[in-house]
Amino acid sequence: MIIDCHGHYTTSPRALQDYRDSQIAGLKDPSYKPARAKLNVSDDQIRESVEGAQLKLQRDRGTDLTIFSPRAAGMSHHIGDATISEYWSEACNDMVHRVVALYPENFIGVCQLPQSPGVDPRNCIKELERCVNQLGFVGCNLNPDPSGGYWTDPPLTDRWWYPLYEKMCELDVPGMVHVSASCNPCFHFTGAHYINGDTTAFMQFLTSDLFKDFPTLKFIIPHGGGAVPFHWGRYRGLAQDMKKPLLKDHLLKNVFFDTCVYHQPGIDLMTKVIPVENILFASEMVGAVRGVDPETGFNYDDTKRYVDASALSAADRRKVFEDNAYAVYPRLKAQIAKQRGKGNR
Amino acid sequence: MIIDCHGHYTTSPRALQDYRDSQIAGLKDPSYKPARAKLNVSDDQIRESVEGAQLKLQRDRGTDLTIFSPRAAGMSHHIGDATISEYWSEACNDMVHRVVALYPENFIGVCQLPQSPGVDPRNCIKELERCVNQLGFVGCNLNPDPSGGYWTDPPLTDRWWYPLYEKMCELDVPGMVHVSASCNPCFHFTGAHYINGDTTAFMQFLTSDLFKDFPTLKFIIPHGGGAVPFHWGRYRGLAQDMKKPLLKDHLLKNVFFDTCVYHQPGIDLMTKVIPVENILFASEMVGAVRGVDPETGFNYDDTKRYVDASALSAADRRKVFEDNAYAVYPRLKAQIAKQRGKGNR
């Protein structure tokens, strides 16, 4: 089985965005009372939204299962307050759950958290519990910068985040460190803010002893880990200058990278320098880059081709495509069995 | 000749930091009147500061000339106001000039600019002119985030920066895009803020048409261009999705990358995906990473070894080591001749 650990519901039905637009309009209206979404979306609309997109790409590219979460830029935790974020997160997570319910063999859910700048991360626990315990989700996306490009919340290694980490450990779910839209004009979202968020989180982990406090906590850093594999020598050297243990002992039991790197030389570098146990297959589709690479004739984000063409052995490719996902998402295997037991469309 | 385009005076005499400390202490003292530095530093102190460091490393590693600028983290444009920054920049640039004057065959100057958050970049023109016209410097370091990690100034492509760019074009000097220390606890300086600054600047250039307005303006993005070469497919794809020209036409006549990437696979990737004309040799020494890589037995920042061991032909290596520097720093060749005509120690 080929598991893509990083897919977003970027094609959700219009009604979801309409609800968000009503929230945003409400922020300018003093009489606005935030209310939970009651979306009128039919199963056929859900099917239409993925049949020609994520499902088609799974079939075309020969992948089997996508670990699926709400649109990352859509999270925009900087918009409104914690209540706005709570209602919006519930609506987005419910919509992902609708997809999973219709296509239990093809998708497994990961949730957006109702973060809000400056708001205690304890606030996210209720929604995380709901998504894991009631909806069968196997992880969460954690935004290291709810401010959307101004980085005003504490680093991920601060005790500020510990109550959430305790709950993640208790529920046995990992977090994908994923920023959202940027409201800072310095940062293009998919071209700068995402990649910077990845690099920043890794360096926060490197300078800390977070995983001494949480030995079972696991994070996936998406987009190939930002700049990290390219600068692997720099990071090894910085850790060494700081008298930290070797990176493999210091954080590679807890930190993993996905393969959302959109050219062969990038994947070749990554598979050369990062231990294979720390690499999870992913494509981020339908996502950041939608075109066809004229140098290859295939979509930039058809990352399976790069992994297939890399120097990895068949056994190692299997780790990247499947086995590592079971190790990083401890609830995944049972959830797959449960969803497949239910039968498919 | 082997030219290292990215070296910092990280080992400057104590008197320089004492002056800075007096500025910083003064910020808390209502009676403090900022004053220009009058440093009592002997030629012998200058010699001592580089003989066992930058000069020794040049000799040990077989490089000839370092394009040399003040310590990057030391710039800290977020400290104090424009006057503080002006006096501090003058002191730092003068100290670099002292090194150049003592070792005219080994160093050529690049200046720090007296930037300050929210202050019009026109404010930097006087010091840029002084450094180029009076001190013989051949470029400047431009901080895309004078706030030190909060990114509150406009992107580098905003007209805010245009008066400075006009002067850079008039003087025929390039800018190295280089952030400074981070006062944002989210960002480790050399492990996150520097690399993010590089990635961010590249994406700002990509989304803009800056080089239509300034066809001769040139920027070096240090640290191998941050995450850019590793994600070269992503950047090609993003430009394509935005209907921009191919990157080689869109910005590679104006944007260059240095080789401050501290392991062989990183340099191998870079030399594979980035046109050789856009790569300039650099080591950033004595800088971010000071240790010896146990995997190679050599210093992480001994980047000449990686370039030597890369797949580049001898002719291409010569471009990286020397010829590209003449193209990117138009005043360099004449300045070398001038400084060598003067004789050496």
Side-chain angles (χ1 to χ4, degrees):
Chain A
M1 175 149 52
I2 295 183
I3 302 170
D4 181 340
C5 80
H6 184 182
H8 296 295
Y9 196 9
T10 46
T11 56
S12 54
R14 183 69 220 173
L16 184 65
Q17 188 58 43
D18 287 345
Y19 171 70
R20 182 60 159 173
D21 291 346
S22 76
Q23 281 193 325
I24 294 168
L27 293 173
K28 294 180 198 151
D29 174 1
S31 70
Y32 174 70
K33 292 256 188 225
R36 290 197 151 77
K38 289 181 188 162
L39 303 185
N40 185 17
V41 174
S42 68
D43 283 354
D44 276 350
Q45 283 177 301
I46 302 273
R47 288 189 190 98
E48 274 167 34
S49 74
V50 292
E51 281 285 353
Q54 290 86 352
L55 268 180
K56 178 178 184 303
L57 293 175
Q58 281 188 0
R59 289 185 202 114
D60 289 353
R61 298 179 183 181
T63 66
D64 299 295
L65 175 71
T66 301
I67 298 181
F68 202 53
S69 61
R71 190 167 69 93
M75 300 190 298
S76 290
H77 297 112
H78 58 278
I79 294 176
D81 60 12
T83 302
I84 295 286
S85 189
E86 179 187 334
Y87 294 173
W88 173 235
S89 298
E90 289 173 6
C92 291
N93 291 331
D94 285 345
M95 204 56 70
V96 165
H97 184 240
R98 295 275 304 270
V99 176
V100 173
L102 285 170
Y103 300 98
E105 292 196 3
N106 301 95
F107 298 99
I108 282 190
V110 154
C111 69
Q112 166 179 338
L113 295 172
Q115 297 178 250
S116 194
V119 174
D120 191 325
R122 280 187 187 88
N123 201 50
C124 299
I125 289 176
K126 192 179 76 171
E127 178 65 1
L128 178 63
E129 287 185 314
R130 183 182 80 96
C131 289
V132 174
N133 292 331
Q134 296 177 34
L135 307 186
F137 286 18
V138 298
C140 61
N141 289 337
L142 179 62
N143 184 349
D145 173 29
S147 77
Y150 292 96
W151 293 88
T152 50
D153 274 20
L156 289 179
T157 50
D158 193 279
R159 288 182 170 270
W160 170 258
W161 301 95
Y162 275 26
L164 179 61
Y165 297 161
E166 285 162 12
K167 184 55 67 175
M168 287 165 64
C169 291
E170 181 196 316
L171 293 171
D172 227 0
V173 293
M176 177 172 280
V177 179
H178 205 309
V179 297
S180 182
S182 161
C183 59
N184 184 326
C186 286
F187 302 126
H188 184 273
F189 72 126
T190 52
H193 192 44
Y194 283 21
I195 306 295
N196 292 350
D198 305 334
T199 308
T200 300
F202 182 82
M203 193 63 198
Q204 291 176 357
F205 297 143
L206 189 154
T207 49
S208 80
D209 292 310
L210 178 65
F211 302 116
K212 282 190 182 158
D213 288 345
F214 293 99
T216 64
L217 184 63
K218 292 190 173 67
F219 291 108
I220 304 99
I221 305 189
H223 322 108
V228 171
F230 181 50
H231 285 287
W232 196 238
R234 189 178 190 88
Y235 292 104
R236 287 194 294 110
L238 285 168
Q240 185 176 319
D241 284 357
M242 292 175 199
K243 318 286 184 210
K244 297 288 185 188
L246 291 176
L247 293 180
K248 73 179 173 56
D249 302 314
H250 184 44
L251 46 68
L252 289 182
K253 294 181 185 77
N254 306 85
V255 175
F256 302 83
F257 304 100
D258 81 12
T259 64
C260 294
V261 179
Y262 293 161
H263 63 154
Q264 187 68 48
I267 293 293
D268 289 344
L269 171 112
M270 189 176 185
T271 52
K272 187 175 288 176
V273 302
I274 304 296
V276 68
E277 288 74 19
N278 292 80
I279 303 175
L280 273 69
F281 173 68
S283 67
E284 198 187 353
M285 57 102 167
V286 183
V289 176
R290 302 190 180 213
V292 169
D293 185 346
E295 294 184 7
T296 65
F298 297 104
N299 283 81
Y300 287 99
D301 69 357
D302 188 356
T303 53
K304 179 168 174 294
R305 288 179 181 277
Y306 312 136
V307 176
D308 281 336
S310 74
L312 292 176
S313 68
D316 281 349
R317 272 208 306 280
R318 195 190 141 121
K319 291 183 188 172
V320 171
F321 281 136
E322 180 174 7
D323 295 343
N324 293 342
Y326 300 137
V328 176
Y329 297 84
R331 302 177 78 102
L332 180 61
K333 212 162 195 172
Q335 188 63 30
I336 291 173
K338 191 171 168 190
Q339 292 189 191
R340 299 214 159 192
K342 274 185 187 168
N344 202 350
R345 66 217 129 99
Chain B
M1 177 149 52
I2 295 184
I3 301 170
D4 181 339
C5 80
H6 184 182
H8 296 295
Y9 196 8
T10 45
T11 56
S12 53
R14 183 69 221 173
L16 185 65
Q17 188 58 43
D18 288 344
Y19 171 69
R20 183 58 159 174
D21 291 345
S22 76
Q23 281 194 326
I24 293 168
L27 293 172
K28 293 180 197 152
D29 174 1
S31 70
Y32 174 70
K33 291 258 186 222
R36 289 196 152 79
K38 288 180 189 161
L39 304 186
N40 185 17
V41 174
S42 68
D43 283 354
D44 276 350
Q45 285 177 299
I46 303 273
R47 287 190 191 98
E48 274 165 35
S49 73
V50 293
E51 280 285 353
Q54 291 85 354
L55 269 179
K56 178 178 184 302
L57 293 174
Q58 281 187 0
R59 288 184 203 112
D60 289 353
R61 300 179 183 181
T63 66
D64 300 294
L65 175 73
T66 301
I67 298 181
F68 202 53
S69 61
R71 190 167 68 94
M75 301 191 295
S76 290
H77 296 112
H78 58 279
I79 295 177
D81 60 12
T83 302
I84 295 287
S85 188
E86 180 187 332
Y87 294 172
W88 173 235
S89 298
E90 288 173 7
C92 291
N93 292 331
D94 285 345
M95 205 55 71
V96 164
H97 185 238
R98 295 275 305 271
V99 176
V100 173
L102 286 170
Y103 301 98
E105 293 194 3
N106 300 95
F107 297 100
I108 282 190
V110 153
C111 67
Q112 165 178 339
L113 295 171
Q115 297 178 248
S116 194
V119 174
D120 191 324
R122 277 187 188 87
N123 201 51
C124 299
I125 289 176
K126 192 180 73 170
E127 179 64 1
L128 178 64
E129 286 185 315
R130 182 181 81 95
C131 290
V132 174
N133 291 331
Q134 295 177 33
L135 308 185
F137 285 17
V138 299
C140 60
N141 288 338
L142 180 63
N143 184 349
D145 172 30
S147 78
Y150 292 96
W151 294 88
T152 50
D153 273 21
L156 290 179
T157 49
D158 193 279
R159 287 181 172 271
W160 169 258
W161 302 94
Y162 275 27
L164 179 60
Y165 296 160
E166 284 163 13
K167 183 56 66 175
M168 288 165 63
C169 291
E170 182 195 315
L171 293 171
D172 226 0
V173 293
M176 177 172 279
V177 179
H178 206 310
V179 296
S180 183
S182 162
C183 59
N184 184 327
C186 287
F187 302 125
H188 183 273
F189 72 127
T190 52
H193 192 43
Y194 283 21
I195 306 295
N196 292 349
D198 305 334
T199 307
T200 300
F202 182 83
M203 194 62 198
Q204 291 177 355
F205 297 143
L206 189 154
T207 49
S208 80
D209 292 310
L210 177 66
F211 302 116
K212 282 190 181 158
D213 288 346
F214 292 99
T216 65
L217 184 63
K218 291 189 174 66
F219 290 109
I220 304 99
I221 305 190
H223 322 108
V228 171
F230 181 51
H231 285 287
W232 196 238
R234 189 178 189 90
Y235 291 104
R236 289 195 292 110
L238 285 168
Q240 184 176 319
D241 284 358
M242 292 174 198
K243 318 285 185 210
K244 297 287 184 189
L246 291 176
L247 293 181
K248 73 180 172 61
D249 302 315
H250 184 44
L251 47 67
L252 289 182
K253 293 181 186 76
N254 306 84
V255 175
F256 302 84
F257 305 100
D258 81 13
T259 65
C260 294
V261 178
Y262 293 160
H263 62 154
Q264 189 68 47
I267 293 293
D268 289 344
L269 171 110
M270 189 176 186
T271 52
K272 187 175 286 176
V273 302
I274 304 295
V276 68
E277 288 74 19
N278 291 80
I279 303 175
L280 273 68
F281 173 67
S283 67
E284 198 186 356
M285 58 100 169
V286 182
V289 176
R290 302 188 181 212
V292 169
D293 186 347
E295 296 185 7
T296 66
F298 297 103
N299 283 82
Y300 288 99
D301 69 357
D302 187 356
T303 53
K304 179 168 174 293
R305 289 179 182 276
Y306 312 135
V307 177
D308 281 337
S310 74
L312 291 176
S313 68
D316 281 349
R317 273 207 306 279
R318 196 191 140 120
K319 289 182 189 173
V320 170
F321 280 136
E322 180 174 6
D323 296 344
N324 293 343
Y326 300 138
V328 175
Y329 296 84
R331 302 176 77 102
L332 180 61
K333 212 163 196 171
Q335 187 64 30
I336 291 172
K338 193 173 165 188
Q339 292 188 191
R340 301 216 156 190
K342 273 185 190 169
N344 202 350
R345 71 218 124 98

